Amino acid sequence: MRKPMKFHVINTGGTLGMVGKPLVPAASAEELLEGIKVPKGVKLNLQDMDEKQDSTNVWNADRLVMGQMIEAAYETHDAFIVLHGTDSLAETCSYLSMLFKLSLQKPVFVIGAQMTKIEAGSDVAMQIENALRVAKSFVKNSIVGVYNVCIGEVLHGARVCKRRDSAFDAFHTPGVHPVAHAFPHIMIKEGVRRKDEVTAVQGLRLDSKFERHVVSLVVSADAPPYVLMDMVKAGRIRGVVLECKGAGNIPDRPWETEGDDAFSWIDAIRAATDAGIHVGIVSPFEDGRVILDRYGLGAKAKAAGALSLESMTPPMADTKFRQAIAMFPKDPARIQRFLSADMLNELLDGFEDESDEDDDEVVKD
């Protein structure tokens, strides 16, 4: 007789377990799983975080606790389901992906819902039941890694982003198709990661160093660069992520402010990097790739010391940048190499061929 699969369910809070008006996290994992149809041959172990949070309030320190809870149950369970709020679910998927990297040789699903369980028409039961169904299939087929299940679509955790506030299909993976579907049968597609026995036998590893003092800013020609310059002068941050235009363009028109010399965003980047603050450039577009050498304004940002966050989604760019800074705090070149390494398919496929305009002229026979 086949042994039952064991799934560890961690309840962190979020809308699916909220009650009251205004809504606040309250329901336990046991209450959330009450009435849920569990697949045959699956046994559940339920665990609540000590303090359940609205996911807007979740810190990376909380995400580390989630990872440690997975680590504690890792050897005795086959899969893990993290019940989570939707607002920062993408950040948690990114964090767990980078926390475990390839050492994670079992499937982890981070799921949320747009309604509470007690509301009529709620999506909670479908989300949890689909996650359990997919988890059983992934264990059976030796599929590992971090994933999100959203209304029957299984999404790669290293690229998942929230795109809608109210619709049930709240999540997608920009530039990447779902890796599986759960309607009505489980259909596994390209993009999943298979278990590697050599890696699996070495056990789970947690790379838990992430720089806390990192901030993100949206840059435009009308956004005052003194916001960054003031942060540099305060000396509290260790990194800043700038959301760019185009393929990495940062405006260079100087701002004049009372009592200060005129300076631009490029000047602010240079001041930051001169002070040992790392500056990463991220694209806001679904198919965005930061190629700082393409346009003059991107080249100026690069010359000022800015680093490319490549084609990562904003949640993954923030997470991976924090880890890179923590690992190599005084080595920008090493940070760039780390950011440019595609570890978990967090980067888009393909590359841009360089222009051949400067190639030597072909000599005719």
Side-chain angles (χ1 to χ4, degrees), residues 49 55-68 88 90-96 99 208-214 315 318-323:
M49 289 193 71
S55 73
T56 300
N57 256 348
V58 171
W59 285 345
N60 278 346
D62 300 315
R63 297 182 176 102
L64 177 58
V65 172
M66 297 175 203
Q68 290 168 337
S88 69
E91 286 84 347
T92 296
C93 285
S94 296
Y95 183 93
L96 293 177
L99 178 70
S208 59
K209 292 177 64 177
F210 291 83
E211 176 56 55
R212 188 178 186 190
H213 302 281
V214 176
D318 179 88
T319 300
K320 194 174 181 183
F321 194 40
R322 289 173 184 270
Q323 190 172 66

PDB file of all heavy atoms in Angstrom, residues 49 55-68 88 90-96 99 208-214 315 318-323:
ATOM      1  N   MET A  49       1.470  30.971  11.825  1.00  0.00           N
ATOM      2  CA  MET A  49       2.507  31.871  12.318  1.00  0.00           C
ATOM      3  C   MET A  49       2.027  32.495  13.622  1.00  0.00           C
ATOM      4  O   MET A  49       0.823  32.674  13.833  1.00  0.00           O
ATOM      5  CB  MET A  49       2.817  32.953  11.281  1.00  0.00           C
ATOM      6  CG  MET A  49       3.547  32.419  10.061  1.00  0.00           C
ATOM      7  SD  MET A  49       4.248  33.723   9.006  1.00  0.00           S
ATOM      8  CE  MET A  49       5.603  34.323  10.033  1.00  0.00           C
ATOM      9  N   SER A  55      -0.865  41.169   4.492  1.00  0.00           N
ATOM     10  CA  SER A  55       0.427  41.002   3.816  1.00  0.00           C
ATOM     11  C   SER A  55       1.109  42.324   3.494  1.00  0.00           C
ATOM     12  O   SER A  55       2.311  42.353   3.223  1.00  0.00           O
ATOM     13  CB  SER A  55       0.265  40.167   2.539  1.00  0.00           C
ATOM     14  OG  SER A  55      -0.382  40.892   1.521  1.00  0.00           O
ATOM     15  N   THR A  56       0.377  43.427   3.525  1.00  0.00           N
ATOM     16  CA  THR A  56       1.013  44.733   3.366  1.00  0.00           C
ATOM     17  C   THR A  56       2.043  44.971   4.463  1.00  0.00           C
ATOM     18  O   THR A  56       3.012  45.710   4.277  1.00  0.00           O
ATOM     19  CB  THR A  56      -0.056  45.847   3.396  1.00  0.00           C
ATOM     20  OG1 THR A  56      -0.984  45.622   2.330  1.00  0.00           O
ATOM     21  CG2 THR A  56       0.563  47.226   3.228  1.00  0.00           C
ATOM     22  N   ASN A  57       1.859  44.329   5.608  1.00  0.00           N
ATOM     23  CA  ASN A  57       2.735  44.514   6.763  1.00  0.00           C
ATOM     24  C   ASN A  57       3.869  43.499   6.836  1.00  0.00           C
ATOM     25  O   ASN A  57       4.656  43.533   7.782  1.00  0.00           O
ATOM     26  CB  ASN A  57       1.916  44.397   8.059  1.00  0.00           C
ATOM     27  CG  ASN A  57       1.646  45.743   8.695  1.00  0.00           C
ATOM     28  OD1 ASN A  57       2.239  46.749   8.323  1.00  0.00           O
ATOM     29  ND2 ASN A  57       0.742  45.771   9.656  1.00  0.00           N
ATOM     30  N   VAL A  58       3.959  42.584   5.886  1.00  0.00           N
ATOM     31  CA  VAL A  58       4.948  41.503   5.978  1.00  0.00           C
ATOM     32  C   VAL A  58       6.342  42.021   5.651  1.00  0.00           C
ATOM     33  O   VAL A  58       6.567  42.647   4.609  1.00  0.00           O
ATOM     34  CB  VAL A  58       4.565  40.342   5.036  1.00  0.00           C
ATOM     35  CG1 VAL A  58       5.691  39.311   4.958  1.00  0.00           C
ATOM     36  CG2 VAL A  58       3.284  39.674   5.520  1.00  0.00           C
ATOM     37  N   TRP A  59       7.278  41.765   6.552  1.00  0.00           N
ATOM     38  CA  TRP A  59       8.691  42.094   6.359  1.00  0.00           C
ATOM     39  C   TRP A  59       9.430  40.879   5.800  1.00  0.00           C
ATOM     40  O   TRP A  59       8.962  39.744   5.895  1.00  0.00           O
ATOM     41  CB  TRP A  59       9.341  42.451   7.701  1.00  0.00           C
ATOM     42  CG  TRP A  59       9.000  43.786   8.256  1.00  0.00           C
ATOM     43  CD1 TRP A  59       8.422  44.836   7.612  1.00  0.00           C
ATOM     44  CD2 TRP A  59       9.236  44.229   9.605  1.00  0.00           C
ATOM     45  NE1 TRP A  59       8.284  45.901   8.460  1.00  0.00           N
ATOM     46  CE2 TRP A  59       8.779  45.558   9.692  1.00  0.00           C
ATOM     47  CE3 TRP A  59       9.795  43.630  10.732  1.00  0.00           C
ATOM     48  CZ2 TRP A  59       8.860  46.301  10.866  1.00  0.00           C
ATOM     49  CZ3 TRP A  59       9.881  44.367  11.902  1.00  0.00           C
ATOM     50  CH2 TRP A  59       9.419  45.689  11.969  1.00  0.00           C
ATOM     51  N   ASN A  60      10.638  41.129   5.289  1.00  0.00           N
ATOM     52  CA  ASN A  60      11.493  40.004   4.912  1.00  0.00           C
ATOM     53  C   ASN A  60      11.861  39.163   6.129  1.00  0.00           C
ATOM     54  O   ASN A  60      12.096  37.955   6.003  1.00  0.00           O
ATOM     55  CB  ASN A  60      12.751  40.500   4.204  1.00  0.00           C
ATOM     56  CG  ASN A  60      12.503  40.792   2.730  1.00  0.00           C
ATOM     57  OD1 ASN A  60      11.487  40.388   2.167  1.00  0.00           O
ATOM     58  ND2 ASN A  60      13.425  41.498   2.106  1.00  0.00           N
ATOM     59  N   ALA A  61      11.906  39.776   7.301  1.00  0.00           N
ATOM     60  CA  ALA A  61      12.152  39.000   8.520  1.00  0.00           C
ATOM     61  C   ALA A  61      11.036  37.985   8.745  1.00  0.00           C
ATOM     62  O   ALA A  61      11.282  36.863   9.219  1.00  0.00           O
ATOM     63  CB  ALA A  61      12.268  39.934   9.724  1.00  0.00           C
ATOM     64  N   ASP A  62       9.794  38.353   8.404  1.00  0.00           N
ATOM     65  CA  ASP A  62       8.680  37.408   8.496  1.00  0.00           C
ATOM     66  C   ASP A  62       8.832  36.303   7.458  1.00  0.00           C
ATOM     67  O   ASP A  62       8.526  35.134   7.718  1.00  0.00           O
ATOM     68  CB  ASP A  62       7.346  38.127   8.275  1.00  0.00           C
ATOM     69  CG  ASP A  62       7.097  39.230   9.291  1.00  0.00           C
ATOM     70  OD1 ASP A  62       7.319  38.985  10.488  1.00  0.00           O
ATOM     71  OD2 ASP A  62       6.682  40.329   8.874  1.00  0.00           O
ATOM     72  N   ARG A  63       9.304  36.681   6.280  1.00  0.00           N
ATOM     73  CA  ARG A  63       9.492  35.685   5.219  1.00  0.00           C
ATOM     74  C   ARG A  63      10.591  34.692   5.598  1.00  0.00           C
ATOM     75  O   ARG A  63      10.514  33.511   5.249  1.00  0.00           O
ATOM     76  CB  ARG A  63       9.814  36.388   3.897  1.00  0.00           C
ATOM     77  CG  ARG A  63       8.669  37.277   3.422  1.00  0.00           C
ATOM     78  CD  ARG A  63       8.947  37.958   2.084  1.00  0.00           C
ATOM     79  NE  ARG A  63       7.758  38.702   1.688  1.00  0.00           N
ATOM     80  CZ  ARG A  63       7.610  40.023   1.796  1.00  0.00           C
ATOM     81  NH1 ARG A  63       8.612  40.760   2.261  1.00  0.00           N
ATOM     82  NH2 ARG A  63       6.488  40.610   1.432  1.00  0.00           N
ATOM     83  N   LEU A  64      11.597  35.169   6.306  1.00  0.00           N
ATOM     84  CA  LEU A  64      12.630  34.255   6.791  1.00  0.00           C
ATOM     85  C   LEU A  64      12.027  33.248   7.766  1.00  0.00           C
ATOM     86  O   LEU A  64      12.362  32.053   7.728  1.00  0.00           O
ATOM     87  CB  LEU A  64      13.758  35.034   7.461  1.00  0.00           C
ATOM     88  CG  LEU A  64      14.872  34.190   8.085  1.00  0.00           C
ATOM     89  CD1 LEU A  64      15.523  33.268   7.053  1.00  0.00           C
ATOM     90  CD2 LEU A  64      15.925  35.082   8.741  1.00  0.00           C
ATOM     91  N   VAL A  65      11.116  33.702   8.625  1.00  0.00           N
ATOM     92  CA  VAL A  65      10.435  32.784   9.550  1.00  0.00           C
ATOM     93  C   VAL A  65       9.653  31.736   8.760  1.00  0.00           C
ATOM     94  O   VAL A  65       9.671  30.545   9.099  1.00  0.00           O
ATOM     95  CB  VAL A  65       9.509  33.559  10.507  1.00  0.00           C
ATOM     96  CG1 VAL A  65       8.657  32.595  11.331  1.00  0.00           C
ATOM     97  CG2 VAL A  65      10.328  34.455  11.428  1.00  0.00           C
ATOM     98  N   MET A  66       8.971  32.159   7.691  1.00  0.00           N
ATOM     99  CA  MET A  66       8.267  31.190   6.842  1.00  0.00           C
ATOM    100  C   MET A  66       9.249  30.155   6.304  1.00  0.00           C
ATOM    101  O   MET A  66       8.971  28.944   6.306  1.00  0.00           O
ATOM    102  CB  MET A  66       7.582  31.903   5.674  1.00  0.00           C
ATOM    103  CG  MET A  66       6.505  32.894   6.050  1.00  0.00           C
ATOM    104  SD  MET A  66       5.881  33.767   4.567  1.00  0.00           S
ATOM    105  CE  MET A  66       5.218  35.261   5.324  1.00  0.00           C
ATOM    106  N   GLY A  67      10.389  30.634   5.823  1.00  0.00           N
ATOM    107  CA  GLY A  67      11.396  29.715   5.300  1.00  0.00           C
ATOM    108  C   GLY A  67      11.915  28.763   6.361  1.00  0.00           C
ATOM    109  O   GLY A  67      12.145  27.575   6.098  1.00  0.00           O
ATOM    110  N   GLN A  68      12.091  29.263   7.570  1.00  0.00           N
ATOM    111  CA  GLN A  68      12.559  28.410   8.666  1.00  0.00           C
ATOM    112  C   GLN A  68      11.504  27.385   9.065  1.00  0.00           C
ATOM    113  O   GLN A  68      11.842  26.257   9.457  1.00  0.00           O
ATOM    114  CB  GLN A  68      12.955  29.287   9.851  1.00  0.00           C
ATOM    115  CG  GLN A  68      14.216  30.104   9.591  1.00  0.00           C
ATOM    116  CD  GLN A  68      14.463  31.177  10.634  1.00  0.00           C
ATOM    117  OE1 GLN A  68      13.529  31.629  11.318  1.00  0.00           O
ATOM    118  NE2 GLN A  68      15.709  31.604  10.775  1.00  0.00           N
ATOM    119  N   SER A  88       1.371  41.375  -1.027  1.00  0.00           N
ATOM    120  CA  SER A  88       2.825  41.184  -1.118  1.00  0.00           C
ATOM    121  C   SER A  88       3.183  39.725  -1.375  1.00  0.00           C
ATOM    122  O   SER A  88       4.294  39.293  -1.079  1.00  0.00           O
ATOM    123  CB  SER A  88       3.527  41.687   0.152  1.00  0.00           C
ATOM    124  OG  SER A  88       3.227  40.863   1.264  1.00  0.00           O
ATOM    125  N   ALA A  90       3.741  38.295  -4.237  1.00  0.00           N
ATOM    126  CA  ALA A  90       4.827  38.200  -5.219  1.00  0.00           C
ATOM    127  C   ALA A  90       6.183  38.390  -4.555  1.00  0.00           C
ATOM    128  O   ALA A  90       7.160  37.710  -4.896  1.00  0.00           O
ATOM    129  CB  ALA A  90       4.623  39.238  -6.324  1.00  0.00           C
ATOM    130  N   GLU A  91       6.263  39.316  -3.596  1.00  0.00           N
ATOM    131  CA  GLU A  91       7.518  39.529  -2.880  1.00  0.00           C
ATOM    132  C   GLU A  91       7.911  38.293  -2.075  1.00  0.00           C
ATOM    133  O   GLU A  91       9.092  37.929  -1.999  1.00  0.00           O
ATOM    134  CB  GLU A  91       7.395  40.741  -1.951  1.00  0.00           C
ATOM    135  CG  GLU A  91       7.414  42.084  -2.665  1.00  0.00           C
ATOM    136  CD  GLU A  91       6.053  42.506  -3.204  1.00  0.00           C
ATOM    137  OE1 GLU A  91       5.123  41.664  -3.247  1.00  0.00           O
ATOM    138  OE2 GLU A  91       5.918  43.686  -3.584  1.00  0.00           O
ATOM    139  N   THR A  92       6.915  37.618  -1.478  1.00  0.00           N
ATOM    140  CA  THR A  92       7.214  36.409  -0.714  1.00  0.00           C
ATOM    141  C   THR A  92       7.674  35.280  -1.632  1.00  0.00           C
ATOM    142  O   THR A  92       8.607  34.540  -1.301  1.00  0.00           O
ATOM    143  CB  THR A  92       5.983  35.982   0.111  1.00  0.00           C
ATOM    144  OG1 THR A  92       5.713  37.002   1.079  1.00  0.00           O
ATOM    145  CG2 THR A  92       6.218  34.664   0.828  1.00  0.00           C
ATOM    146  N   CYS A  93       7.042  35.146  -2.796  1.00  0.00           N
ATOM    147  CA  CYS A  93       7.505  34.146  -3.767  1.00  0.00           C
ATOM    148  C   CYS A  93       8.951  34.424  -4.175  1.00  0.00           C
ATOM    149  O   CYS A  93       9.776  33.500  -4.254  1.00  0.00           O
ATOM    150  CB  CYS A  93       6.601  34.151  -5.000  1.00  0.00           C
ATOM    151  SG  CYS A  93       4.993  33.367  -4.763  1.00  0.00           S
ATOM    152  N   SER A  94       9.264  35.690  -4.442  1.00  0.00           N
ATOM    153  CA  SER A  94      10.627  36.053  -4.831  1.00  0.00           C
ATOM    154  C   SER A  94      11.608  35.757  -3.701  1.00  0.00           C
ATOM    155  O   SER A  94      12.697  35.208  -3.928  1.00  0.00           O
ATOM    156  CB  SER A  94      10.688  37.540  -5.202  1.00  0.00           C
ATOM    157  OG  SER A  94       9.900  37.813  -6.337  1.00  0.00           O
ATOM    158  N   TYR A  95      11.220  36.118  -2.474  1.00  0.00           N
ATOM    159  CA  TYR A  95      12.117  35.917  -1.333  1.00  0.00           C
ATOM    160  C   TYR A  95      12.399  34.431  -1.109  1.00  0.00           C
ATOM    161  O   TYR A  95      13.561  34.024  -0.951  1.00  0.00           O
ATOM    162  CB  TYR A  95      11.507  36.531  -0.073  1.00  0.00           C
ATOM    163  CG  TYR A  95      12.404  36.419   1.142  1.00  0.00           C
ATOM    164  CD1 TYR A  95      13.276  37.451   1.477  1.00  0.00           C
ATOM    165  CD2 TYR A  95      12.391  35.281   1.943  1.00  0.00           C
ATOM    166  CE1 TYR A  95      14.113  37.349   2.580  1.00  0.00           C
ATOM    167  CE2 TYR A  95      13.228  35.168   3.045  1.00  0.00           C
ATOM    168  CZ  TYR A  95      14.081  36.205   3.359  1.00  0.00           C
ATOM    169  OH  TYR A  95      14.915  36.092   4.445  1.00  0.00           O
ATOM    170  N   LEU A  96      11.346  33.607  -1.084  1.00  0.00           N
ATOM    171  CA  LEU A  96      11.556  32.175  -0.855  1.00  0.00           C
ATOM    172  C   LEU A  96      12.371  31.555  -1.990  1.00  0.00           C
ATOM    173  O   LEU A  96      13.190  30.656  -1.757  1.00  0.00           O
ATOM    174  CB  LEU A  96      10.211  31.465  -0.699  1.00  0.00           C
ATOM    175  CG  LEU A  96       9.399  31.838   0.549  1.00  0.00           C
ATOM    176  CD1 LEU A  96       8.060  31.116   0.546  1.00  0.00           C
ATOM    177  CD2 LEU A  96      10.168  31.519   1.830  1.00  0.00           C
ATOM    178  N   LEU A  99      15.875  32.625  -1.212  1.00  0.00           N
ATOM    179  CA  LEU A  99      16.310  32.052   0.063  1.00  0.00           C
ATOM    180  C   LEU A  99      16.810  30.621  -0.129  1.00  0.00           C
ATOM    181  O   LEU A  99      17.861  30.237   0.387  1.00  0.00           O
ATOM    182  CB  LEU A  99      15.152  32.075   1.061  1.00  0.00           C
ATOM    183  CG  LEU A  99      15.418  31.463   2.444  1.00  0.00           C
ATOM    184  CD1 LEU A  99      16.387  32.337   3.241  1.00  0.00           C
ATOM    185  CD2 LEU A  99      14.098  31.296   3.207  1.00  0.00           C
ATOM    186  N   SER A 208      20.270  33.381   3.830  1.00  0.00           N
ATOM    187  CA  SER A 208      19.364  34.279   4.550  1.00  0.00           C
ATOM    188  C   SER A 208      19.857  35.717   4.693  1.00  0.00           C
ATOM    189  O   SER A 208      19.232  36.511   5.399  1.00  0.00           O
ATOM    190  CB  SER A 208      19.084  33.705   5.943  1.00  0.00           C
ATOM    191  OG  SER A 208      20.289  33.561   6.675  1.00  0.00           O
ATOM    192  N   LYS A 209      20.950  36.071   4.027  1.00  0.00           N
ATOM    193  CA  LYS A 209      21.447  37.446   4.133  1.00  0.00           C
ATOM    194  C   LYS A 209      20.798  38.321   3.066  1.00  0.00           C
ATOM    195  O   LYS A 209      20.999  38.119   1.868  1.00  0.00           O
ATOM    196  CB  LYS A 209      22.970  37.470   3.982  1.00  0.00           C
ATOM    197  CG  LYS A 209      23.724  36.811   5.127  1.00  0.00           C
ATOM    198  CD  LYS A 209      25.221  36.799   4.878  1.00  0.00           C
ATOM    199  CE  LYS A 209      25.802  38.196   4.817  1.00  0.00           C
ATOM    200  NZ  LYS A 209      27.279  38.175   4.650  1.00  0.00           N
ATOM    201  N   PHE A 210      20.007  39.291   3.509  1.00  0.00           N
ATOM    202  CA  PHE A 210      19.372  40.267   2.619  1.00  0.00           C
ATOM    203  C   PHE A 210      19.556  41.650   3.241  1.00  0.00           C
ATOM    204  O   PHE A 210      19.273  41.837   4.424  1.00  0.00           O
ATOM    205  CB  PHE A 210      17.873  39.983   2.452  1.00  0.00           C
ATOM    206  CG  PHE A 210      17.558  38.730   1.678  1.00  0.00           C
ATOM    207  CD1 PHE A 210      17.564  37.492   2.305  1.00  0.00           C
ATOM    208  CD2 PHE A 210      17.256  38.790   0.325  1.00  0.00           C
ATOM    209  CE1 PHE A 210      17.271  36.331   1.607  1.00  0.00           C
ATOM    210  CE2 PHE A 210      16.960  37.634  -0.385  1.00  0.00           C
ATOM    211  CZ  PHE A 210      16.967  36.401   0.251  1.00  0.00           C
ATOM    212  N   GLU A 211      20.018  42.595   2.450  1.00  0.00           N
ATOM    213  CA  GLU A 211      20.196  43.958   2.947  1.00  0.00           C
ATOM    214  C   GLU A 211      18.834  44.600   3.210  1.00  0.00           C
ATOM    215  O   GLU A 211      17.963  44.607   2.342  1.00  0.00           O
ATOM    216  CB  GLU A 211      20.981  44.797   1.934  1.00  0.00           C
ATOM    217  CG  GLU A 211      21.130  46.257   2.304  1.00  0.00           C
ATOM    218  CD  GLU A 211      21.767  46.462   3.671  1.00  0.00           C
ATOM    219  OE1 GLU A 211      22.874  45.949   3.906  1.00  0.00           O
ATOM    220  OE2 GLU A 211      21.129  47.142   4.504  1.00  0.00           O
ATOM    221  N   ARG A 212      18.665  45.131   4.402  1.00  0.00           N
ATOM    222  CA  ARG A 212      17.380  45.718   4.768  1.00  0.00           C
ATOM    223  C   ARG A 212      17.217  47.149   4.262  1.00  0.00           C
ATOM    224  O   ARG A 212      16.113  47.581   3.923  1.00  0.00           O
ATOM    225  CB  ARG A 212      17.224  45.700   6.295  1.00  0.00           C
ATOM    226  CG  ARG A 212      15.835  46.114   6.750  1.00  0.00           C
ATOM    227  CD  ARG A 212      15.681  46.056   8.247  1.00  0.00           C
ATOM    228  NE  ARG A 212      14.299  46.316   8.639  1.00  0.00           N
ATOM    229  CZ  ARG A 212      13.903  46.522   9.881  1.00  0.00           C
ATOM    230  NH1 ARG A 212      14.791  46.482  10.864  1.00  0.00           N
ATOM    231  NH2 ARG A 212      12.640  46.760  10.151  1.00  0.00           N
ATOM    232  N   HIS A 213      18.309  47.905   4.185  1.00  0.00           N
ATOM    233  CA  HIS A 213      18.234  49.342   3.922  1.00  0.00           C
ATOM    234  C   HIS A 213      18.292  49.632   2.418  1.00  0.00           C
ATOM    235  O   HIS A 213      19.259  50.205   1.905  1.00  0.00           O
ATOM    236  CB  HIS A 213      19.354  50.060   4.670  1.00  0.00           C
ATOM    237  CG  HIS A 213      19.303  49.831   6.149  1.00  0.00           C
ATOM    238  ND1 HIS A 213      18.440  50.503   6.987  1.00  0.00           N
ATOM    239  CD2 HIS A 213      19.978  48.962   6.938  1.00  0.00           C
ATOM    240  CE1 HIS A 213      18.598  50.086   8.224  1.00  0.00           C
ATOM    241  NE2 HIS A 213      19.526  49.145   8.226  1.00  0.00           N
ATOM    242  N   VAL A 214      17.235  49.207   1.724  1.00  0.00           N
ATOM    243  CA  VAL A 214      17.104  49.418   0.283  1.00  0.00           C
ATOM    244  C   VAL A 214      15.744  50.050   0.023  1.00  0.00           C
ATOM    245  O   VAL A 214      14.741  49.651   0.625  1.00  0.00           O
ATOM    246  CB  VAL A 214      17.233  48.086  -0.492  1.00  0.00           C
ATOM    247  CG1 VAL A 214      17.006  48.305  -1.987  1.00  0.00           C
ATOM    248  CG2 VAL A 214      18.599  47.453  -0.248  1.00  0.00           C
ATOM    249  N   PRO A 315       9.307  42.849  -8.180  1.00  0.00           N
ATOM    250  CA  PRO A 315       9.476  42.140  -6.897  1.00  0.00           C
ATOM    251  C   PRO A 315      10.768  41.331  -6.821  1.00  0.00           C
ATOM    252  O   PRO A 315      11.465  41.350  -5.800  1.00  0.00           O
ATOM    253  CB  PRO A 315       8.242  41.231  -6.826  1.00  0.00           C
ATOM    254  CG  PRO A 315       7.229  41.884  -7.698  1.00  0.00           C
ATOM    255  CD  PRO A 315       8.017  42.493  -8.814  1.00  0.00           C
ATOM    256  N   ASP A 318      13.967  43.672  -6.615  1.00  0.00           N
ATOM    257  CA  ASP A 318      14.186  44.182  -5.260  1.00  0.00           C
ATOM    258  C   ASP A 318      14.814  43.109  -4.371  1.00  0.00           C
ATOM    259  O   ASP A 318      15.786  43.359  -3.654  1.00  0.00           O
ATOM    260  CB  ASP A 318      12.854  44.649  -4.672  1.00  0.00           C
ATOM    261  CG  ASP A 318      12.987  45.164  -3.251  1.00  0.00           C
ATOM    262  OD1 ASP A 318      13.269  46.361  -3.078  1.00  0.00           O
ATOM    263  OD2 ASP A 318      12.814  44.356  -2.308  1.00  0.00           O
ATOM    264  N   THR A 319      14.277  41.900  -4.446  1.00  0.00           N
ATOM    265  CA  THR A 319      14.752  40.810  -3.583  1.00  0.00           C
ATOM    266  C   THR A 319      16.176  40.400  -3.921  1.00  0.00           C
ATOM    267  O   THR A 319      17.040  40.283  -3.038  1.00  0.00           O
ATOM    268  CB  THR A 319      13.811  39.598  -3.719  1.00  0.00           C
ATOM    269  OG1 THR A 319      12.495  39.978  -3.323  1.00  0.00           O
ATOM    270  CG2 THR A 319      14.284  38.443  -2.857  1.00  0.00           C
ATOM    271  N   LYS A 320      16.440  40.176  -5.193  1.00  0.00           N
ATOM    272  CA  LYS A 320      17.766  39.709  -5.599  1.00  0.00           C
ATOM    273  C   LYS A 320      18.823  40.785  -5.375  1.00  0.00           C
ATOM    274  O   LYS A 320      19.969  40.487  -5.010  1.00  0.00           O
ATOM    275  CB  LYS A 320      17.732  39.275  -7.066  1.00  0.00           C
ATOM    276  CG  LYS A 320      18.948  38.465  -7.505  1.00  0.00           C
ATOM    277  CD  LYS A 320      18.769  37.942  -8.926  1.00  0.00           C
ATOM    278  CE  LYS A 320      19.972  37.118  -9.369  1.00  0.00           C
ATOM    279  NZ  LYS A 320      19.837  36.662 -10.774  1.00  0.00           N
ATOM    280  N   PHE A 321      18.447  42.047  -5.582  1.00  0.00           N
ATOM    281  CA  PHE A 321      19.362  43.161  -5.346  1.00  0.00           C
ATOM    282  C   PHE A 321      19.740  43.229  -3.867  1.00  0.00           C
ATOM    283  O   PHE A 321      20.913  43.419  -3.518  1.00  0.00           O
ATOM    284  CB  PHE A 321      18.694  44.456  -5.799  1.00  0.00           C
ATOM    285  CG  PHE A 321      19.622  45.637  -5.937  1.00  0.00           C
ATOM    286  CD1 PHE A 321      20.894  45.506  -6.471  1.00  0.00           C
ATOM    287  CD2 PHE A 321      19.205  46.906  -5.558  1.00  0.00           C
ATOM    288  CE1 PHE A 321      21.737  46.601  -6.615  1.00  0.00           C
ATOM    289  CE2 PHE A 321      20.028  48.010  -5.697  1.00  0.00           C
ATOM    290  CZ  PHE A 321      21.306  47.855  -6.224  1.00  0.00           C
ATOM    291  N   ARG A 322      18.755  43.057  -2.985  1.00  0.00           N
ATOM    292  CA  ARG A 322      19.037  43.069  -1.545  1.00  0.00           C
ATOM    293  C   ARG A 322      20.008  41.948  -1.170  1.00  0.00           C
ATOM    294  O   ARG A 322      20.921  42.144  -0.361  1.00  0.00           O
ATOM    295  CB  ARG A 322      17.734  42.910  -0.757  1.00  0.00           C
ATOM    296  CG  ARG A 322      16.814  44.123  -0.787  1.00  0.00           C
ATOM    297  CD  ARG A 322      15.478  43.814  -0.114  1.00  0.00           C
ATOM    298  NE  ARG A 322      14.543  44.922  -0.222  1.00  0.00           N
ATOM    299  CZ  ARG A 322      14.436  45.909   0.662  1.00  0.00           C
ATOM    300  NH1 ARG A 322      15.205  45.897   1.743  1.00  0.00           N
ATOM    301  NH2 ARG A 322      13.574  46.883   0.490  1.00  0.00           N
ATOM    302  N   GLN A 323      19.804  40.776  -1.752  1.00  0.00           N
ATOM    303  CA  GLN A 323      20.700  39.667  -1.429  1.00  0.00           C
ATOM    304  C   GLN A 323      22.102  39.916  -1.980  1.00  0.00           C
ATOM    305  O   GLN A 323      23.100  39.645  -1.304  1.00  0.00           O
ATOM    306  CB  GLN A 323      20.143  38.356  -1.980  1.00  0.00           C
ATOM    307  CG  GLN A 323      20.902  37.136  -1.483  1.00  0.00           C
ATOM    308  CD  GLN A 323      20.230  35.842  -1.869  1.00  0.00           C
ATOM    309  OE1 GLN A 323      20.151  35.507  -3.044  1.00  0.00           O
ATOM    310  NE2 GLN A 323      19.743  35.100  -0.877  1.00  0.00           N
TER     311      GLN A 323
END
